[in-house]
PDB file of all heavy atoms in Angstrom:
ATOM      1  N   THR A 147       8.578 -17.238 -16.633  1.00 97.00           N
ATOM      2  CA  THR A 147       7.211 -17.266 -16.110  1.00 97.00           C
ATOM      3  C   THR A 147       7.221 -16.866 -14.634  1.00 97.00           C
ATOM      4  O   THR A 147       8.173 -17.152 -13.908  1.00 97.00           O
ATOM      5  CB  THR A 147       6.572 -18.667 -16.241  1.00 97.00           C
ATOM      6  OG1 THR A 147       7.401 -19.608 -15.575  1.00 97.00           O
ATOM      7  CG2 THR A 147       6.419 -19.071 -17.702  1.00 97.00           C
ATOM      8  N   PRO A 148       6.163 -16.221 -14.198  1.00 97.00           N
ATOM      9  CA  PRO A 148       6.090 -15.823 -12.791  1.00 97.00           C
ATOM     10  C   PRO A 148       5.842 -17.030 -11.889  1.00 97.00           C
ATOM     11  O   PRO A 148       5.227 -18.007 -12.304  1.00 97.00           O
ATOM     12  CB  PRO A 148       4.911 -14.860 -12.755  1.00 97.00           C
ATOM     13  CG  PRO A 148       4.059 -15.245 -13.916  1.00 97.00           C
ATOM     14  CD  PRO A 148       4.992 -15.775 -14.964  1.00 97.00           C
ATOM     15  N   PHE A 149       6.323 -16.948 -10.656  1.00 97.00           N
ATOM     16  CA  PHE A 149       6.009 -17.997  -9.682  1.00 97.00           C
ATOM     17  C   PHE A 149       4.704 -17.665  -8.960  1.00 97.00           C
ATOM     18  O   PHE A 149       4.117 -18.529  -8.318  1.00 97.00           O
ATOM     19  CB  PHE A 149       7.151 -18.221  -8.682  1.00 97.00           C
ATOM     20  CG  PHE A 149       7.350 -17.109  -7.681  1.00 97.00           C
ATOM     21  CD1 PHE A 149       6.633 -17.074  -6.498  1.00 97.00           C
ATOM     22  CD2 PHE A 149       8.268 -16.096  -7.934  1.00 97.00           C
ATOM     23  CE1 PHE A 149       6.819 -16.063  -5.575  1.00 97.00           C
ATOM     24  CE2 PHE A 149       8.459 -15.078  -7.006  1.00 97.00           C
ATOM     25  CZ  PHE A 149       7.733 -15.051  -5.835  1.00 97.00           C
ATOM     26  N   ALA A 150       4.253 -16.414  -9.081  1.00 97.00           N
ATOM     27  CA  ALA A 150       3.005 -16.006  -8.437  1.00 97.00           C
ATOM     28  C   ALA A 150       2.391 -14.843  -9.199  1.00 97.00           C
ATOM     29  O   ALA A 150       3.097 -14.064  -9.860  1.00 97.00           O
ATOM     30  CB  ALA A 150       3.249 -15.608  -6.988  1.00 97.00           C
ATOM     31  N   ARG A 151       1.067 -14.777  -9.096  1.00 98.00           N
ATOM     32  CA  ARG A 151       0.316 -13.627  -9.606  1.00 98.00           C
ATOM     33  C   ARG A 151      -0.773 -13.332  -8.589  1.00 98.00           C
ATOM     34  O   ARG A 151      -1.097 -14.163  -7.748  1.00 98.00           O
ATOM     35  CB  ARG A 151      -0.365 -13.932 -10.951  1.00 98.00           C
ATOM     36  CG  ARG A 151       0.558 -14.267 -12.068  1.00 98.00           C
ATOM     37  CD  ARG A 151      -0.107 -14.404 -13.423  1.00 98.00           C
ATOM     38  NE  ARG A 151      -1.445 -14.990 -13.433  1.00 98.00           N
ATOM     39  CZ  ARG A 151      -2.239 -14.995 -14.498  1.00 98.00           C
ATOM     40  NH1 ARG A 151      -1.850 -14.442 -15.630  1.00 98.00           N
ATOM     41  NH2 ARG A 151      -3.426 -15.551 -14.446  1.00 98.00           N
ATOM     42  N   GLY A 152      -1.332 -12.148  -8.689  1.00 98.00           N
ATOM     43  CA  GLY A 152      -2.415 -11.808  -7.786  1.00 98.00           C
ATOM     44  C   GLY A 152      -2.891 -10.389  -8.032  1.00 98.00           C
ATOM     45  O   GLY A 152      -2.542  -9.773  -9.040  1.00 98.00           O
ATOM     46  N   ILE A 153      -3.674  -9.889  -7.100  1.00 98.00           N
ATOM     47  CA  ILE A 153      -4.194  -8.522  -7.200  1.00 98.00           C
ATOM     48  C   ILE A 153      -3.896  -7.789  -5.904  1.00 98.00           C
ATOM     49  O   ILE A 153      -4.208  -8.271  -4.810  1.00 98.00           O
ATOM     50  CB  ILE A 153      -5.701  -8.502  -7.500  1.00 98.00           C
ATOM     51  CG1 ILE A 153      -5.966  -9.117  -8.881  1.00 98.00           C
ATOM     52  CG2 ILE A 153      -6.248  -7.076  -7.427  1.00 98.00           C
ATOM     53  CD1 ILE A 153      -7.431  -9.182  -9.276  1.00 98.00           C
ATOM     54  N   ASN A 154      -3.264  -6.623  -6.055  1.00 98.00           N
ATOM     55  CA  ASN A 154      -3.074  -5.692  -4.943  1.00 98.00           C
ATOM     56  C   ASN A 154      -4.237  -4.712  -4.967  1.00 98.00           C
ATOM     57  O   ASN A 154      -4.485  -4.057  -5.981  1.00 98.00           O
ATOM     58  CB  ASN A 154      -1.778  -4.889  -5.115  1.00 98.00           C
ATOM     59  CG  ASN A 154      -0.543  -5.690  -4.833  1.00 98.00           C
ATOM     60  OD1 ASN A 154      -0.495  -6.444  -3.872  1.00 98.00           O
ATOM     61  ND2 ASN A 154       0.476  -5.539  -5.662  1.00 98.00           N
ATOM     62  N   SER A 155      -4.937  -4.602  -3.873  1.00 98.00           N
ATOM     63  CA  SER A 155      -5.946  -3.566  -3.686  1.00 98.00           C
ATOM     64  C   SER A 155      -5.239  -2.444  -2.937  1.00 98.00           C
ATOM     65  O   SER A 155      -4.903  -2.597  -1.762  1.00 98.00           O
ATOM     66  CB  SER A 155      -7.121  -4.119  -2.876  1.00 98.00           C
ATOM     67  OG  SER A 155      -8.017  -3.086  -2.551  1.00 98.00           O
ATOM     68  N   ILE A 156      -4.971  -1.354  -3.629  1.00 98.00           N
ATOM     69  CA  ILE A 156      -4.154  -0.277  -3.079  1.00 98.00           C
ATOM     70  C   ILE A 156      -5.014   0.963  -2.888  1.00 98.00           C
ATOM     71  O   ILE A 156      -5.682   1.405  -3.822  1.00 98.00           O
ATOM     72  CB  ILE A 156      -2.972   0.044  -4.023  1.00 98.00           C
ATOM     73  CG1 ILE A 156      -2.141  -1.213  -4.285  1.00 98.00           C
ATOM     74  CG2 ILE A 156      -2.115   1.175  -3.459  1.00 98.00           C
ATOM     75  CD1 ILE A 156      -1.121  -1.071  -5.406  1.00 98.00           C
ATOM     76  N   GLN A 157      -4.976   1.502  -1.680  1.00 98.00           N
ATOM     77  CA  GLN A 157      -5.661   2.755  -1.408  1.00 98.00           C
ATOM     78  C   GLN A 157      -4.597   3.845  -1.332  1.00 98.00           C
ATOM     79  O   GLN A 157      -3.600   3.700  -0.613  1.00 98.00           O
ATOM     80  CB  GLN A 157      -6.456   2.703  -0.097  1.00 98.00           C
ATOM     81  CG  GLN A 157      -7.723   1.870  -0.194  1.00 98.00           C
ATOM     82  CD  GLN A 157      -7.454   0.385  -0.370  1.00 98.00           C
ATOM     83  OE1 GLN A 157      -6.723  -0.212   0.398  1.00 98.00           O
ATOM     84  NE2 GLN A 157      -8.038  -0.207  -1.392  1.00 98.00           N
ATOM     85  N   LEU A 158      -4.831   4.898  -2.116  1.00 98.00           N
ATOM     86  CA  LEU A 158      -3.922   6.038  -2.176  1.00 98.00           C
ATOM     87  C   LEU A 158      -4.651   7.288  -1.725  1.00 98.00           C
ATOM     88  O   LEU A 158      -5.881   7.362  -1.792  1.00 98.00           O
ATOM     89  CB  LEU A 158      -3.427   6.255  -3.614  1.00 98.00           C
ATOM     90  CG  LEU A 158      -2.685   5.115  -4.285  1.00 98.00           C
ATOM     91  CD1 LEU A 158      -2.427   5.436  -5.753  1.00 98.00           C
ATOM     92  CD2 LEU A 158      -1.376   4.829  -3.567  1.00 98.00           C
ATOM     93  N   TRP A 159      -3.870   8.269  -1.321  1.00 98.00           N
ATOM     94  CA  TRP A 159      -4.423   9.567  -0.957  1.00 98.00           C
ATOM     95  C   TRP A 159      -3.550  10.651  -1.571  1.00 98.00           C
ATOM     96  O   TRP A 159      -2.317  10.595  -1.454  1.00 98.00           O
ATOM     97  CB  TRP A 159      -4.469   9.713   0.563  1.00 98.00           C
ATOM     98  CG  TRP A 159      -4.993  11.038   1.033  1.00 98.00           C
ATOM     99  CD1 TRP A 159      -6.123  11.670   0.618  1.00 98.00           C
ATOM    100  CD2 TRP A 159      -4.410  11.889   2.015  1.00 98.00           C
ATOM    101  NE1 TRP A 159      -6.286  12.857   1.286  1.00 98.00           N
ATOM    102  CE2 TRP A 159      -5.241  13.014   2.159  1.00 98.00           C
ATOM    103  CE3 TRP A 159      -3.265  11.800   2.807  1.00 98.00           C
ATOM    104  CZ2 TRP A 159      -4.966  14.047   3.040  1.00 98.00           C
ATOM    105  CZ3 TRP A 159      -2.995  12.823   3.697  1.00 98.00           C
ATOM    106  CH2 TRP A 159      -3.845  13.928   3.799  1.00 98.00           C
ATOM    107  N   PHE A 160      -4.184  11.624  -2.222  1.00 97.00           N
ATOM    108  CA  PHE A 160      -3.483  12.799  -2.725  1.00 97.00           C
ATOM    109  C   PHE A 160      -3.859  13.972  -1.840  1.00 97.00           C
ATOM    110  O   PHE A 160      -5.033  14.330  -1.731  1.00 97.00           O
ATOM    111  CB  PHE A 160      -3.864  13.082  -4.185  1.00 97.00           C
ATOM    112  CG  PHE A 160      -3.134  14.252  -4.758  1.00 97.00           C
ATOM    113  CD1 PHE A 160      -1.762  14.205  -4.943  1.00 97.00           C
ATOM    114  CD2 PHE A 160      -3.814  15.408  -5.102  1.00 97.00           C
ATOM    115  CE1 PHE A 160      -1.070  15.295  -5.458  1.00 97.00           C
ATOM    116  CE2 PHE A 160      -3.134  16.505  -5.625  1.00 97.00           C
ATOM    117  CZ  PHE A 160      -1.764  16.449  -5.804  1.00 97.00           C
ATOM    118  N   ASP A 161      -2.874  14.564  -1.183  1.00 95.00           N
ATOM    119  CA  ASP A 161      -3.154  15.639  -0.229  1.00 95.00           C
ATOM    120  C   ASP A 161      -3.050  17.031  -0.846  1.00 95.00           C
ATOM    121  O   ASP A 161      -3.056  18.023  -0.136  1.00 95.00           O
ATOM    122  CB  ASP A 161      -2.247  15.518   1.001  1.00 95.00           C
ATOM    123  CG  ASP A 161      -0.777  15.827   0.711  1.00 95.00           C
ATOM    124  OD1 ASP A 161      -0.432  16.219  -0.426  1.00 95.00           O
ATOM    125  OD2 ASP A 161       0.046  15.685   1.638  1.00 95.00           O
ATOM    126  N   GLY A 162      -2.974  17.093  -2.169  1.00 95.00           N
ATOM    127  CA  GLY A 162      -2.837  18.372  -2.854  1.00 95.00           C
ATOM    128  C   GLY A 162      -1.400  18.699  -3.203  1.00 95.00           C
ATOM    129  O   GLY A 162      -1.142  19.561  -4.040  1.00 95.00           O
ATOM    130  N   ARG A 163      -0.462  18.006  -2.557  1.00 95.00           N
ATOM    131  CA  ARG A 163       0.959  18.228  -2.824  1.00 95.00           C
ATOM    132  C   ARG A 163       1.686  16.958  -3.261  1.00 95.00           C
ATOM    133  O   ARG A 163       2.592  17.006  -4.072  1.00 95.00           O
ATOM    134  CB  ARG A 163       1.651  18.787  -1.578  1.00 95.00           C
ATOM    135  CG  ARG A 163       1.186  20.175  -1.177  1.00 95.00           C
ATOM    136  CD  ARG A 163       1.909  20.683   0.059  1.00 95.00           C
ATOM    137  NE  ARG A 163       1.784  19.791   1.197  1.00 95.00           N
ATOM    138  CZ  ARG A 163       0.815  19.839   2.097  1.00 95.00           C
ATOM    139  NH1 ARG A 163      -0.141  20.722   1.991  1.00 95.00           N
ATOM    140  NH2 ARG A 163       0.793  19.005   3.118  1.00 95.00           N
ATOM    141  N   ARG A 164       1.290  15.836  -2.667  1.00 97.00           N
ATOM    142  CA  ARG A 164       1.962  14.578  -2.981  1.00 97.00           C
ATOM    143  C   ARG A 164       1.000  13.419  -2.778  1.00 97.00           C
ATOM    144  O   ARG A 164      -0.056  13.569  -2.176  1.00 97.00           O
ATOM    145  CB  ARG A 164       3.216  14.375  -2.122  1.00 97.00           C
ATOM    146  CG  ARG A 164       2.931  14.296  -0.612  1.00 97.00           C
ATOM    147  CD  ARG A 164       3.991  13.537   0.149  1.00 97.00           C
ATOM    148  NE  ARG A 164       3.899  12.097  -0.096  1.00 97.00           N
ATOM    149  CZ  ARG A 164       4.713  11.209   0.438  1.00 97.00           C
ATOM    150  NH1 ARG A 164       5.700  11.574   1.228  1.00 97.00           N
ATOM    151  NH2 ARG A 164       4.564   9.918   0.188  1.00 97.00           N
ATOM    152  N   TRP A 165       1.401  12.240  -3.251  1.00 98.00           N
ATOM    153  CA  TRP A 165       0.624  11.015  -3.102  1.00 98.00           C
ATOM    154  C   TRP A 165       1.157  10.210  -1.930  1.00 98.00           C
ATOM    155  O   TRP A 165       2.358  10.215  -1.646  1.00 98.00           O
ATOM    156  CB  TRP A 165       0.714  10.193  -4.391  1.00 98.00           C
ATOM    157  CG  TRP A 165      -0.077  10.807  -5.489  1.00 98.00           C
ATOM    158  CD1 TRP A 165       0.346  11.783  -6.348  1.00 98.00           C
ATOM    159  CD2 TRP A 165      -1.427  10.528  -5.830  1.00 98.00           C
ATOM    160  NE1 TRP A 165      -0.671  12.118  -7.203  1.00 98.00           N
ATOM    161  CE2 TRP A 165      -1.773  11.356  -6.909  1.00 98.00           C
ATOM    162  CE3 TRP A 165      -2.382   9.648  -5.327  1.00 98.00           C
ATOM    163  CZ2 TRP A 165      -3.028  11.328  -7.499  1.00 98.00           C
ATOM    164  CZ3 TRP A 165      -3.630   9.610  -5.914  1.00 98.00           C
ATOM    165  CH2 TRP A 165      -3.937  10.446  -6.984  1.00 98.00           C
ATOM    166  N   TRP A 166       0.258   9.481  -1.264  1.00 98.00           N
ATOM    167  CA  TRP A 166       0.571   8.614  -0.128  1.00 98.00           C
ATOM    168  C   TRP A 166      -0.093   7.257  -0.354  1.00 98.00           C
ATOM    169  O   TRP A 166      -1.222   7.181  -0.824  1.00 98.00           O
ATOM    170  CB  TRP A 166      -0.005   9.176   1.167  1.00 98.00           C
ATOM    171  CG  TRP A 166       0.504  10.511   1.571  1.00 98.00           C
ATOM    172  CD1 TRP A 166      -0.016  11.728   1.227  1.00 98.00           C
ATOM    173  CD2 TRP A 166       1.620  10.787   2.416  1.00 98.00           C
ATOM    174  NE1 TRP A 166       0.704  12.730   1.804  1.00 98.00           N
ATOM    175  CE2 TRP A 166       1.715  12.187   2.552  1.00 98.00           C
ATOM    176  CE3 TRP A 166       2.546   9.978   3.087  1.00 98.00           C
ATOM    177  CZ2 TRP A 166       2.698  12.802   3.312  1.00 98.00           C
ATOM    178  CZ3 TRP A 166       3.520  10.586   3.855  1.00 98.00           C
ATOM    179  CH2 TRP A 166       3.599  11.987   3.959  1.00 98.00           C
ATOM    180  N   VAL A 167       0.584   6.189   0.027  1.00 98.00           N
ATOM    181  CA  VAL A 167      -0.029   4.862   0.098  1.00 98.00           C
ATOM    182  C   VAL A 167      -0.646   4.746   1.486  1.00 98.00           C
ATOM    183  O   VAL A 167       0.029   4.972   2.492  1.00 98.00           O
ATOM    184  CB  VAL A 167       0.999   3.735  -0.118  1.00 98.00           C
ATOM    185  CG1 VAL A 167       0.329   2.364   0.015  1.00 98.00           C
ATOM    186  CG2 VAL A 167       1.683   3.872  -1.471  1.00 98.00           C
ATOM    187  N   VAL A 168      -1.925   4.397   1.539  1.00 98.00           N
ATOM    188  CA  VAL A 168      -2.637   4.242   2.810  1.00 98.00           C
ATOM    189  C   VAL A 168      -2.750   2.765   3.175  1.00 98.00           C
ATOM    190  O   VAL A 168      -2.545   2.385   4.323  1.00 98.00           O
ATOM    191  CB  VAL A 168      -4.034   4.903   2.735  1.00 98.00           C
ATOM    192  CG1 VAL A 168      -4.814   4.693   4.021  1.00 98.00           C
ATOM    193  CG2 VAL A 168      -3.901   6.389   2.408  1.00 98.00           C
ATOM    194  N   THR A 169      -3.055   1.925   2.188  1.00 98.00           N
ATOM    195  CA  THR A 169      -3.210   0.486   2.415  1.00 98.00           C
ATOM    196  C   THR A 169      -2.820  -0.281   1.164  1.00 98.00           C
ATOM    197  O   THR A 169      -3.128   0.145   0.048  1.00 98.00           O
ATOM    198  CB  THR A 169      -4.682   0.133   2.730  1.00 98.00           C
ATOM    199  OG1 THR A 169      -5.154   0.937   3.783  1.00 98.00           O
ATOM    200  CG2 THR A 169      -4.838  -1.332   3.095  1.00 98.00           C
ATOM    201  N   VAL A 170      -2.152  -1.400   1.358  1.00 98.00           N
ATOM    202  CA  VAL A 170      -1.959  -2.389   0.291  1.00 98.00           C
ATOM    203  C   VAL A 170      -2.508  -3.698   0.859  1.00 98.00           C
ATOM    204  O   VAL A 170      -2.022  -4.211   1.862  1.00 98.00           O
ATOM    205  CB  VAL A 170      -0.480  -2.563  -0.110  1.00 98.00           C
ATOM    206  CG1 VAL A 170      -0.361  -3.565  -1.255  1.00 98.00           C
ATOM    207  CG2 VAL A 170       0.154  -1.232  -0.492  1.00 98.00           C
ATOM    208  N   TYR A 171      -3.546  -4.200   0.206  1.00 97.00           N
ATOM    209  CA  TYR A 171      -4.273  -5.392   0.666  1.00 97.00           C
ATOM    210  C   TYR A 171      -4.290  -6.333  -0.530  1.00 97.00           C
ATOM    211  O   TYR A 171      -4.737  -5.942  -1.611  1.00 97.00           O
ATOM    212  CB  TYR A 171      -5.661  -4.916   1.090  1.00 97.00           C
ATOM    213  CG  TYR A 171      -6.715  -5.941   1.409  1.00 97.00           C
ATOM    214  CD1 TYR A 171      -6.435  -7.105   2.094  1.00 97.00           C
ATOM    215  CD2 TYR A 171      -8.030  -5.692   1.050  1.00 97.00           C
ATOM    216  CE1 TYR A 171      -7.436  -8.000   2.407  1.00 97.00           C
ATOM    217  CE2 TYR A 171      -9.042  -6.578   1.355  1.00 97.00           C
ATOM    218  CZ  TYR A 171      -8.741  -7.726   2.036  1.00 97.00           C
ATOM    219  OH  TYR A 171      -9.735  -8.603   2.338  1.00 97.00           O
ATOM    220  N   TRP A 172      -3.748  -7.547  -0.400  1.00 97.00           N
ATOM    221  CA  TRP A 172      -3.597  -8.375  -1.587  1.00 97.00           C
ATOM    222  C   TRP A 172      -3.964  -9.831  -1.376  1.00 97.00           C
ATOM    223  O   TRP A 172      -3.982 -10.338  -0.280  1.00 97.00           O
ATOM    224  CB  TRP A 172      -2.196  -8.251  -2.161  1.00 97.00           C
ATOM    225  CG  TRP A 172      -1.081  -8.848  -1.358  1.00 97.00           C
ATOM    226  CD1 TRP A 172      -0.549 -10.098  -1.507  1.00 97.00           C
ATOM    227  CD2 TRP A 172      -0.325  -8.217  -0.319  1.00 97.00           C
ATOM    228  NE1 TRP A 172       0.490 -10.285  -0.617  1.00 97.00           N
ATOM    229  CE2 TRP A 172       0.648  -9.147   0.124  1.00 97.00           C
ATOM    230  CE3 TRP A 172      -0.373  -6.966   0.288  1.00 97.00           C
ATOM    231  CZ2 TRP A 172       1.560  -8.847   1.131  1.00 97.00           C
ATOM    232  CZ3 TRP A 172       0.529  -6.676   1.300  1.00 97.00           C
ATOM    233  CH2 TRP A 172       1.480  -7.611   1.703  1.00 97.00           C
ATOM    234  N   GLU A 173      -4.251 -10.434  -2.518  1.00 97.00           N
ATOM    235  CA  GLU A 173      -4.544 -11.863  -2.558  1.00 97.00           C
ATOM    236  C   GLU A 173      -3.830 -12.459  -3.760  1.00 97.00           C
ATOM    237  O   GLU A 173      -3.917 -11.930  -4.870  1.00 97.00           O
ATOM    238  CB  GLU A 173      -6.046 -12.113  -2.662  1.00 97.00           C
ATOM    239  CG  GLU A 173      -6.385 -13.587  -2.635  1.00 97.00           C
ATOM    240  CD  GLU A 173      -7.825 -13.854  -2.232  1.00 97.00           C
ATOM    241  OE1 GLU A 173      -8.446 -13.024  -1.541  1.00 97.00           O
ATOM    242  OE2 GLU A 173      -8.316 -14.921  -2.616  1.00 97.00           O
ATOM    243  N   SER A 174      -3.137 -13.549  -3.523  1.00 96.00           N
ATOM    244  CA  SER A 174      -2.444 -14.246  -4.601  1.00 96.00           C
ATOM    245  C   SER A 174      -3.400 -15.200  -5.308  1.00 96.00           C
ATOM    246  O   SER A 174      -4.321 -15.753  -4.699  1.00 96.00           O
ATOM    247  CB  SER A 174      -1.260 -15.050  -4.046  1.00 96.00           C
ATOM    248  OG  SER A 174      -0.303 -14.181  -3.493  1.00 96.00           O
ATOM    249  N   GLU A 175      -3.139 -15.397  -6.571  1.00 96.00           N
ATOM    250  CA  GLU A 175      -3.924 -16.333  -7.371  1.00 96.00           C
ATOM    251  C   GLU A 175      -3.660 -17.754  -6.872  1.00 96.00           C
ATOM    252  O   GLU A 175      -2.540 -18.096  -6.491  1.00 96.00           O
ATOM    253  CB  GLU A 175      -3.499 -16.197  -8.835  1.00 96.00           C
ATOM    254  CG  GLU A 175      -4.282 -17.045  -9.789  1.00 96.00           C
ATOM    255  CD  GLU A 175      -3.867 -16.780 -11.238  1.00 96.00           C
ATOM    256  OE1 GLU A 175      -2.653 -16.672 -11.502  1.00 96.00           O
ATOM    257  OE2 GLU A 175      -4.765 -16.688 -12.083  1.00 96.00           O
ATOM    258  N   ARG A 176      -4.714 -18.551  -6.842  1.00 93.00           N
ATOM    259  CA  ARG A 176      -4.627 -19.960  -6.471  1.00 93.00           C
ATOM    260  C   ARG A 176      -5.368 -20.778  -7.525  1.00 93.00           C
ATOM    261  O   ARG A 176      -6.177 -20.235  -8.285  1.00 93.00           O
ATOM    262  CB  ARG A 176      -5.254 -20.197  -5.086  1.00 93.00           C
ATOM    263  CG  ARG A 176      -4.597 -19.421  -3.968  1.00 93.00           C
ATOM    264  CD  ARG A 176      -5.288 -19.615  -2.614  1.00 93.00           C
ATOM    265  NE  ARG A 176      -6.740 -19.492  -2.610  1.00 93.00           N
ATOM    266  CZ  ARG A 176      -7.413 -18.343  -2.661  1.00 93.00           C
ATOM    267  NH1 ARG A 176      -6.780 -17.194  -2.776  1.00 93.00           N
ATOM    268  NH2 ARG A 176      -8.730 -18.335  -2.621  1.00 93.00           N
ATOM    269  N   ALA A 177      -5.130 -22.074  -7.531  1.00 92.00           N
ATOM    270  CA  ALA A 177      -5.782 -22.939  -8.528  1.00 92.00           C
ATOM    271  C   ALA A 177      -7.299 -22.800  -8.475  1.00 92.00           C
ATOM    272  O   ALA A 177      -7.967 -22.778  -9.509  1.00 92.00           O
ATOM    273  CB  ALA A 177      -5.370 -24.391  -8.314  1.00 92.00           C
ATOM    274  N   ASN A 178      -7.853 -22.682  -7.270  1.00 91.00           N
ATOM    275  CA  ASN A 178      -9.310 -22.571  -7.144  1.00 91.00           C
ATOM    276  C   ASN A 178      -9.798 -21.117  -7.151  1.00 91.00           C
ATOM    277  O   ASN A 178     -10.968 -20.855  -6.907  1.00 91.00           O
ATOM    278  CB  ASN A 178      -9.789 -23.292  -5.879  1.00 91.00           C
ATOM    279  CG  ASN A 178      -9.270 -22.643  -4.607  1.00 91.00           C
ATOM    280  OD1 ASN A 178      -8.373 -21.804  -4.636  1.00 91.00           O
ATOM    281  ND2 ASN A 178      -9.829 -23.058  -3.481  1.00 91.00           N
ATOM    282  N   ASN A 179      -8.882 -20.188  -7.421  1.00 93.00           N
ATOM    283  CA  ASN A 179      -9.236 -18.777  -7.472  1.00 93.00           C
ATOM    284  C   ASN A 179      -8.370 -18.053  -8.508  1.00 93.00           C
ATOM    285  O   ASN A 179      -7.507 -17.241  -8.165  1.00 93.00           O
ATOM    286  CB  ASN A 179      -9.059 -18.135  -6.080  1.00 93.00           C
ATOM    287  CG  ASN A 179      -9.616 -16.727  -6.040  1.00 93.00           C
ATOM    288  OD1 ASN A 179     -10.605 -16.419  -6.679  1.00 93.00           O
ATOM    289  ND2 ASN A 179      -8.955 -15.865  -5.282  1.00 93.00           N
TER     290      ASN A 179
END
Side-chain angles (χ1 to χ4, degrees):
T147 57
F149 71 86
R151 298 187 324 170
I153 296 179
N154 286 317
S155 173
I156 304 169
Q157 286 68 53
L158 301 173
W159 178 49
F160 182 66
D161 70 4
R163 294 180 304 271
R164 62 155 287 179
W165 287 86
W166 299 90
V167 178
V168 177
T169 307
V170 182
Y171 171 39
W172 69 95
E173 183 159 335
S174 296
E175 183 176 43
R176 300 177 313 283
N178 65 347
N179 189 35

